[in-house]
């Protein structure tokens, strides 16, 4: 049922007919968990997959990078499509793509088919988060809510972080008992459940006007050429980053040519896919993207880098290394919901930056003779970092993004996160190029200290985080058609 709007006050979500009932939120949570669980579950399947397909283990890394690349491009694209064609429709299309990708991967006979499957899964899972943010924003507006629905946003954050934490254990259980193909086939029952819940629980999209039908009309509305330029530029950037420290001149040339052309095209468009002018005017949103990228760079550097170091320098098994980092994901998931439910922004972001600095200092103090408890403590600190940054930046995104662009903005938010994740892998390969030694780990810690300082400065010097969400900021951007909604730090 549709809630009766109430103006001038925040809607109570404990009302007899709550706008965010479980039938509405559950499919959003399940959909939002598909991308992170597919990102992490594949880790345990790479070695047996390589053995079964008779390919080098290193060649299976394309299955990881292909999903990240597809997701980085597809997230803002899905957000734009949700704004134009309807979020429910794009959400369901995404689930169908994941289902198809699971079938292709489960039946795949070579690495090429598995790569195609991972691309399909990456594109399909990318629809959930931006579509969820569009539906949540619209539902809150219909309900007359003055504040972000913190509990719902917290559920989205928890769904992502919890599945990252349980992904490797689930993957290990599936691969060990049923074979590596179930790293793909697991998507079939999950997407079937998500499809049923989405069809029954998500509100139907408005019927589009006839004048907006047709490929040309839709292509003009979503700025198809801008999307293609962004996709090629992002692909070239990712290929260039993953090739470092060796310079990939072809990727760099493609990046420069397509990047410049795309920027020129977008600046000429009245309704561009990537609104460079709008982003430059909306400093709060730009800083949110940068904070997310830098903090995830730190979190994933620890997740991947420390795992390599524990196995190579500390002599631990893969199982032992995974278990020592498991508390990191568990802490992230447990803290995200209560933090988000209070709509805190500045406080969690400061906590995120400070804990990132403390954890980075801890990384610099670890040696191959450090006890396991020291490693667990460092991972726990970064678990707090992960929860605080996800919650704080997600709420900041909700408040700073123009309401009519929340889908695209949410997709770009995830894209910047993927860039941070990809860069973490690049940094790890550079510092460990002579082996995963203590010296390499300490070099990694030094890089993370610098990133943590940048995050702290982006937070404490951001005066927009101090204003009330209902007040008008001094540098409001009329170009965006919406004031930069500042965030209020409620007392803890």
């Amino acid at each position: 049922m549709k809630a009766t709007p109430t103006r001038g006050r925040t809607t109570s979500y404990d009302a007899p007919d709550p706008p965010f009932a479980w039938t509405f939120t559950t499919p959003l949570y399940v959909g939002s968990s598909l991308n992170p669980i597919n990102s992490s579950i594949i880790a345990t399947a790479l070695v047996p997959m390589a053995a079964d397909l008779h390919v080098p283990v290193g060649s299976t890394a394309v299955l990881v990078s292909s999903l990240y690349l597809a997701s980085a491009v597809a997230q803002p694209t899905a957000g734009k499509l949700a704004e134009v064609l309807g979020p429910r429709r794009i959400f369901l299309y995404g689930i169908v793509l994941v289902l198809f990708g699971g079938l292709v991967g489960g039946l795949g006979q070579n690495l090429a088919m598995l790569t195609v499957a991972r691309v399909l899964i990456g594109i399909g899972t990318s629809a959930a988060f931006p579509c969820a943010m569009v539906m949540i924003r619209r539902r809150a507006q219909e309900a007359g809510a003055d504040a972000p629905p913190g509990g719902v946003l917290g559920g989205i954050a928890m769904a992502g972080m919890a599945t990252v934490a349980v992904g490797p254990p689930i993957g290990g259980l599936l691969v060990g008992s049923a074979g590596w193909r179930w790293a793909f086939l697991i998507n079939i029952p999950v997407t079937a459940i998500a499809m049923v819940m989405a069809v029954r629980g998500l509100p139907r999209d408005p019927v589009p006007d006839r004048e907006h039908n047709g490929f040309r009309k839709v292509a003009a509305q979503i700025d198809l050429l801008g999307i293609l330029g962004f996709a090629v530029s992002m692909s070239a950037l990712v290929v260039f980053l993953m090739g470092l420290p060796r310079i990939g001149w072809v990727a760099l040339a493609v990046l420069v040519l397509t990047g410049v052309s795309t920027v020129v095209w977008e600046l000429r468009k009245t309704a561009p896919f990537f609104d460079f002018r709008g982003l430059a005017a909306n400093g709060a949103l730009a800083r949110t993207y940068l904070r997310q990228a830098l903090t995830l760079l730190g979190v994933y550097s620890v997740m991947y880098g420390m795992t390599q170091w524990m196995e190579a320098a500390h002599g631990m098994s893969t199982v032992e290394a995974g278990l020592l980092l498991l508390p990191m994901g568990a802490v992230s998931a447990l803290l995200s919901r209560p933090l988000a439910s209070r709509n805190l922004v500045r406080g969690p972001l400061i906590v995120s930056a400070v804990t990132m600095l403390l954890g980075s200092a801890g990384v610099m103090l670890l040696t191959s003779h450090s006890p396991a408890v020291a490693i667990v403590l460092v991972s726990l600190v970064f678990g707090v970092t992960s929860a605080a940054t996800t919650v704080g930046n997600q709420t900041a995104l909700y408040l700073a993004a123009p309401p009519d662009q929340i889908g695209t903005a949410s997709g770009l938010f995830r894209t910047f996160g993927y860039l941070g994740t990809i860069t973490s892998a690049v940094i790890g390969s550079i510092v460990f190029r002579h082996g995963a030694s203590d010296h390499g780990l300490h070099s990694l810690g030094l890089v993370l200290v610098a990133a943590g300082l940048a995050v702290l400065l982006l937070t404490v010097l951001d005066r927009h985080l101090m204003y009330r969400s209902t007040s008008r900021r001094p540098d409001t951007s009329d170009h965006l058609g919406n004031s930069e909604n500042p965030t209020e730090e409620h007392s803890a």
Side-chain angles (χ1 to χ4, degrees), residues 183-380:
F184 292 92
L185 294 175
I186 187 61
N187 286 291
I188 297 175
V190 175
T191 51
I193 295 171
M195 178 68 75
V196 172
M197 291 190 297
V199 169
R200 293 176 61 87
L202 299 182
R204 291 184 177 274
D205 299 321
V207 178
D209 297 332
R210 288 186 177 181
E211 63 182 27
H212 296 303
N213 289 337
F215 178 78
R216 289 187 178 181
K217 293 287 186 181
V218 173
Q221 284 181 291
I222 67 174
D223 184 17
L224 181 59
L225 288 179
I227 290 175
L228 293 176
F230 174 81
V232 175
S233 302
M234 185 61 63
S235 301
L237 174 60
V238 171
V239 171
F240 175 77
L241 289 176
M242 296 186 68
L244 293 175
R246 183 181 59 84
I247 302 297
W249 294 108
V250 174
L252 181 59
V254 173
L255 172 61
V256 172
L257 290 175
T258 57
V260 171
S261 301
T262 301
V263 170
V264 172
W265 170 263
E266 296 294 76
L267 290 176
R268 291 179 177 178
K269 292 282 292 183
T270 55
F273 166 71
F274 196 114
D275 190 356
F276 289 99
R277 288 193 179 92
L279 187 60
N282 193 338
L285 188 58
R287 286 186 291 274
T288 299
Y289 291 157
L290 289 175
R291 281 194 301 264
Q292 184 72 359
L294 288 171
T295 311
L296 288 190
L297 182 153
V299 171
Y300 279 90
S301 290
V302 169
M303 187 179 298
Y304 295 145
M306 281 187 59
T307 300
Q308 295 179 54
W309 170 78
M310 282 188 283
E311 294 175 10
H314 220 287
M316 296 182 180
S317 67
T318 303
V319 175
E320 290 172 329
L323 289 175
L324 288 182
L325 290 181
L326 187 60
M328 178 178 170
V331 168
S332 297
L334 291 174
L335 288 179
S336 59
R337 188 65 179 265
L339 282 176
S341 64
R342 304 186 67 181
N343 285 329
L344 303 176
V345 179
R346 190 169 187 267
L349 291 177
I350 291 177
V351 169
S352 172
V354 171
T355 53
M356 184 175 174
L357 285 170
L358 292 175
S360 301
V363 170
M364 297 179 67
L365 295 175
L366 291 175
T367 70
S368 55
H369 303 291
S370 297
V373 65
I375 299 173
V376 172
L377 286 175
V378 170
S379 71
L380 286 174

Side-chain angles (χ1 to χ4, degrees), residues 437-452:
S437 61
D438 288 352
H439 175 72
L441 182 70
H442 297 160
S443 299
L444 178 64
L446 189 61
V447 173
L448 298 187
V449 167

Side-chain angles (χ1 to χ4, degrees), residues 14 21 31 33 48 52 54 69 83 105 110 129 159 178 227 230 247 260 262 292 309 323 331 367 394 461 470:
D14 294 324
S33 69
D52 192 31
H54 307 291
L69 176 56
E83 294 164 359
N110 52 58
F129 178 71
I227 290 175
F230 174 81
I247 302 297
V260 171
T262 301
Q292 184 72 359
W309 170 78
L323 289 175
V331 168
T367 70
Q394 188 172 266
L461 299 181
T470 54

Side-chain angles (χ1 to χ4, degrees), residues 26 67 78 80 90 94 102 166 176 287 301 322-323 403-404 414 426 437 482 487:
T26 303
L67 184 135
K80 184 68 173 181
I90 301 304
V166 302
R287 286 186 291 274
S301 290
L323 289 175
D404 61 338
R414 284 292 181 90
V426 173
S437 61
N482 179 65
T487 56

